[in-house]
């Protein structure tokens, strides 16, 4: 039974997804995914390519629409399914408001190439939240210091390394002051030597108890930083356990086979 909004917030439940189905044409990519994420939790989502990991993240933040199931963010419904099996999203204004509780960092940065680093950070707060320039600039500069890129504030993305671009992307998502951060394979487009600087930024966020869902192929990061790990394959959650337990002793044969290839 779905918790009421007040109960969900009292319990510190940040995300509740129940029986989420998603298809592209006739291909069913998500086949009934259910997942709760608590306040301050770092959840790693691992699994082979094509298992539905990234699609699930995109459904949470309404970059994709689901075909069945329900999603609630901080106790507020985003989408639900009626007794006839029809999906119903909340009104558009409520979708935008609920989704602003989340920030997302993508595999390929998605920075605005015609804007400087600082301009990339302040663009959304100015246009979406109608923030005042004199308020948002100091916050953006503080975020750039946080990710070690204050000296790049006036640079354009084309002048940055891949690792620097991804750290700017993280700072840009944080500039909207989300309660939840979603990471979609944030290091997969980076050279190995640049991966560490991005993971260290994410590790610092975890230490600050930011609620995070991280889709990743970085097994060491998932094992060491995540409190819980979820293994997905073929559109379903195969196994979900405390991260160190899952990596040390996977129970399901599919999880075991995957980890033997990755570790």
């Amino acid at each position: 039974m779905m918790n009421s909004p007040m109960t969900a917030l009292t319990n510190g439940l940040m995300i509740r997804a129940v029986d989420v189905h998603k298809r592209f044409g006739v291909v069913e990519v998500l086949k009934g995914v259910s997942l709760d994420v608590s306040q301050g939790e770092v959840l790693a989502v691992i699994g082979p390519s094509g298992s539905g990991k990234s699609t699930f993240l995109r459904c949470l933040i309404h970059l994709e629409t689901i075909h069945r199931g329900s999603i609630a963010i901080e106790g507020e419904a985003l989408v639900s399914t009626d007794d006839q099996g029809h999906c119903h999203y909340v009104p558009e204004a409520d979708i935008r408001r609920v989704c602003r509780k989340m920030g997302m960092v993508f595999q390929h940065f998605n920075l605005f190439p015609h804007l400087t680093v600082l301009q990339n950070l302040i663009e959304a707060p100015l246009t979406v939240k109608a923030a005042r320039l004199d308020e948002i600039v100091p916050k953006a500069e503080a975020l750039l210091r946080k990710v070690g890129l204050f000296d790049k504030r006036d640079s354009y993305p084309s002048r940055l390394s891949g690792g620097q671009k991804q750290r700017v992307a993280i700072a840009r998502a944080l500039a909207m002051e989300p309660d939840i951060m979603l990471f979609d394979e944030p290091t997969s487009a980076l050279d190995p030597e640049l991966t560490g600087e991005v993971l260290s930024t994410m590790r610092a966020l975890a230490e600050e108890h930011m609620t995070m869902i991280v889709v990743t192929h970085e097994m060491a990061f998932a094992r060491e930083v995540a409190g819980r790990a979820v293994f997905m394959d073929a559109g379903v959650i195969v196994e979900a356990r405390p991260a160190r337990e899952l990596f040390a002793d996977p129970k399901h044969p599919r999880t075991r086979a995957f980890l033997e290839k990755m570790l």
Side-chain angles (χ1 to χ4, degrees):
M1 185 182 213
M2 179 78 73
N3 283 345
S4 70
M6 187 59 70
T7 303
L9 288 174
T10 301
N11 293 344
L13 190 61
M14 302 296 275
I15 294 174
R16 166 157 282 182
V18 179
D19 194 33
V20 172
H21 289 250
K22 170 65 181 177
R23 63 179 182 271
F24 294 105
V26 297
V27 179
E28 195 172 21
V29 180
L30 299 177
K31 304 172 183 175
V33 174
S34 296
L35 190 67
D36 286 352
V37 181
S38 299
Q39 187 172 18
E41 182 174 15
V42 179
L43 177 75
V45 183
I46 63 172
S49 297
S51 59
K53 307 182 302 296
S54 296
T55 298
F56 178 64
L57 279 196
R58 293 173 66 85
C59 289
L60 291 179
I61 201 166
H62 194 55
L63 293 174
E64 301 287 354
T65 55
I66 69 173
H67 293 92
R68 194 167 86 231
S70 65
I71 296 171
I73 308 298
E74 294 185 17
E76 289 195 74
L78 176 65
V79 57
S80 57
T81 300
D82 63 25
D83 292 339
Q84 287 73 46
H86 300 128
C87 260
H88 300 280
Y89 277 86
V90 296
E92 188 63 34
D94 290 328
I95 289 174
R96 290 194 298 269
R97 181 177 53 77
V98 170
C99 288
R100 278 203 297 269
K101 298 174 185 290
M102 297 173 282
M104 187 159 178
V105 177
F106 298 88
Q107 183 176 346
H108 293 292
F109 325 129
N110 291 4
L111 299 177
F112 297 116
H114 63 292
L115 300 180
T116 66
V117 164
L118 183 64
Q119 289 169 338
N120 263 279
L121 264 66
I122 67 175
E123 177 71 12
L126 288 175
T127 58
V128 177
K129 298 178 76 174
R132 285 171 35 190
L133 193 63
D134 61 344
E135 290 179 348
I136 192 56
V137 168
K139 291 180 180 178
E141 289 176 338
L143 285 170
L144 289 175
R145 288 189 179 93
K146 184 187 188 81
V147 300
L149 289 172
F150 180 74
D151 61 327
K152 301 293 185 181
R153 67 193 294 280
D154 297 319
S155 299
Y156 287 89
S158 61
R159 307 290 296 179
L160 305 179
S161 71
Q164 290 170 334
K165 290 177 184 175
Q166 195 60 294
R167 283 186 284 156
V168 171
I170 293 172
R172 182 178 65 175
L174 291 171
M176 288 294 285
E177 300 180 326
D179 296 332
I180 302 160
M181 286 286 286
L182 309 177
F183 293 87
D184 186 12
E185 299 190 16
T187 61
S188 63
L190 302 179
D191 294 332
E193 63 268 24
L194 300 176
T195 295
E197 63 190 54
V198 174
L199 293 180
S200 66
T201 299
M202 295 168 61
R203 186 176 282 107
L205 283 178
E207 290 170 355
E208 294 172 5
H209 307 293
M210 169 64 78
T211 305
M212 299 162 60
I213 303 181
V214 185
V215 169
T216 184
H217 290 295
E218 298 291 337
M219 297 297 110
F221 176 86
R223 181 178 57 229
E224 295 162 14
V225 179
R228 190 161 50 112
V230 167
F231 173 67
M232 285 185 69
D233 192 16
V236 299
I237 292 177
V238 176
E239 190 167 350
R241 294 170 58 209
R244 290 182 184 274
E245 290 182 16
L246 184 140
F247 282 95
D249 185 24
K251 298 299 184 186
H252 198 284
R254 285 156 73 185
T255 314
R256 195 175 307 119
F258 174 79
L259 291 175
E260 283 173 356
K261 293 177 183 176
M262 297 296 292
L263 297 173

